[in-house]
Amino acid sequence: MSRFEDPCIITCSISGAVANRDQCPAIPYSPQEYAAEARRAVDEGAAMIHIHARTPEGVPSYEIEDFRAITEAIRDAVEDVIVNYSTGAIGVPNEKRIAYLRALRPDVAALNMSSMNYAKYSAKRKEFVFKAVFENSFDTIVEFLEAMNELGIRPEHECFDSGHVANLDPLIDMGLLSEPLQISCVMGVNGGIRPTPKNLVHMADQIPGGAEGPNNWGVIGIGRGQWRLVAAAAALGGNVRVGLEDNFYLPDGEMASSNGDLIARARRLVEDVGRRAATVEEARELLGAPRPEPVTRRELLAHPIESSE
């Protein structure tokens, strides 16, 4: 079977940590709204849900209980889906971000693969809307990897430039990573690689084992230009991510009314190149992320949840 006939894992990034309903009314805040969006996304072909937590008022959160409430609502609404937690943050201690991984054990957790300038620039205003130094040193990466390995969580390696992909090499040599890897080429952030199909081909070629090797790779396109990147990744045999964290707009410029709208359009692009959306079961097998067993009371007692106060 050719690579082009392979199923494509479609991920939905339901809600980021920055945008709000003034910018897009469909952004979910409450656990129930997250669950409804997850249901729409899965119905349209998503196999994995990427989660940034918020309070019910919409404030970004790194608290265990907010992640728990959102995850439980999604699992109640959807029979099965791969749950993927964000771990990226600026100014939030590593211990706090590892705490919700330890308490809740998602199937997958995102892992940013290098420090970088991270910014959003407005050409209209001739100024940066947002700018920061995004710290992801090797010490930080190794700390998160060791925790994920201990907890049985599969890392999703978010790479904002081709050099970030190369950062996988020493970690593989150290035995901290095992195949199949999951590598996301993040494109469209100021400070990272320019979001062009040609650059996506370049990044895919850097994947350990090559673009057609044993490891999974895909694209995360930020902003309205994501659609040609989704089309390119689908044609090249990669996976794709869309959702209201990354982009509010459909290819024709209309604002999406839900994450389901964005997933449906991504699925159509995947099908247009002769592929199909992977089922959740297929995605679990491809990523090496079997459905987890519930956390036992004994395990909870062994790792008690610390107060956030």
Side-chain angles (χ1 to χ4, degrees), residues 67-106:
F67 273 98
R68 186 193 306 278
I70 290 167
T71 303
E72 288 181 350
I74 289 173
R75 293 210 182 279
D76 286 344
V78 179
E79 181 178 351
D80 188 23
V81 71
I82 297 171
V83 172
N84 175 331
Y85 284 177
S86 169
T87 65
I90 296 172
V92 180
N94 293 354
E95 295 80 7
K96 191 174 189 69
R97 290 180 275 157
I98 290 172
Y100 58 76
L101 298 183
R102 188 174 299 282
L104 303 173
R105 300 196 186 184

Side-chain angles (χ1 to χ4, degrees), residues 209-249:
E212 297 187 7
N215 294 310
N216 301 280
W217 68 274
V219 73
I220 299 173
I222 308 300
R224 297 193 194 195
Q226 78 171 179
W227 293 108
R228 64 176 182 161
L229 299 173
V230 169
L236 292 167
N239 301 313
V240 301
R241 185 181 104 174
V242 299
L244 293 174
E245 175 184 355
D246 303 331
N247 166 47
F248 307 147
Y249 298 94

Side-chain angles (χ1 to χ4, degrees), residues 99-120:
Y100 58 76
L101 298 183
R102 188 174 299 282
L104 303 173
R105 300 196 186 184
D107 305 287
V108 174
L111 180 63
N112 297 285
M113 288 305 298
S114 191
S115 299
M116 61 183 291
N117 286 315
Y118 192 108
K120 181 178 181 181

Side-chain angles (χ1 to χ4, degrees), residues 170-227:
L171 305 174
I172 293 170
D173 189 63
M174 293 166 68
L176 288 170
L177 295 178
S178 61
E179 295 181 341
L181 305 179
Q182 180 183 352
I183 301 158
S184 293
C185 305
V186 187
M187 311 183 79
V189 173
N190 291 117
I193 197 166
R194 287 192 175 101
T196 67
K198 185 175 181 179
N199 281 344
L200 179 60
V201 172
H202 165 67
M203 287 190 74
D205 283 344
Q206 309 307 306
I207 302 300
E212 297 187 7
N215 294 310
N216 301 280
W217 68 274
V219 73
I220 299 173
I222 308 300
R224 297 193 194 195
Q226 78 171 179
W227 293 108

Side-chain angles (χ1 to χ4, degrees), residues 7-13 41-42 44-50 81-82 182 217-219 227 230 234 238-243 259-260 262-271 275-280 282-283 286-287:
C8 174
I9 301 170
I10 301 178
T11 298
C12 180
S13 51
V42 171
E44 294 294 349
M48 180 155 57
I49 302 294
H50 179 68
V81 71
I82 297 171
Q182 180 183 352
W217 68 274
V219 73
W227 293 108
V230 169
N239 301 313
V240 301
R241 185 181 104 174
V242 299
N259 280 284
L262 298 168
I263 295 296
R265 195 63 184 85
R267 189 193 72 240
R268 178 177 161 188
L269 285 173
V270 167
E271 292 170 349
R275 300 177 68 196
R276 60 178 176 80
T279 66
V280 178
E282 288 171 331
L286 287 166
L287 299 176

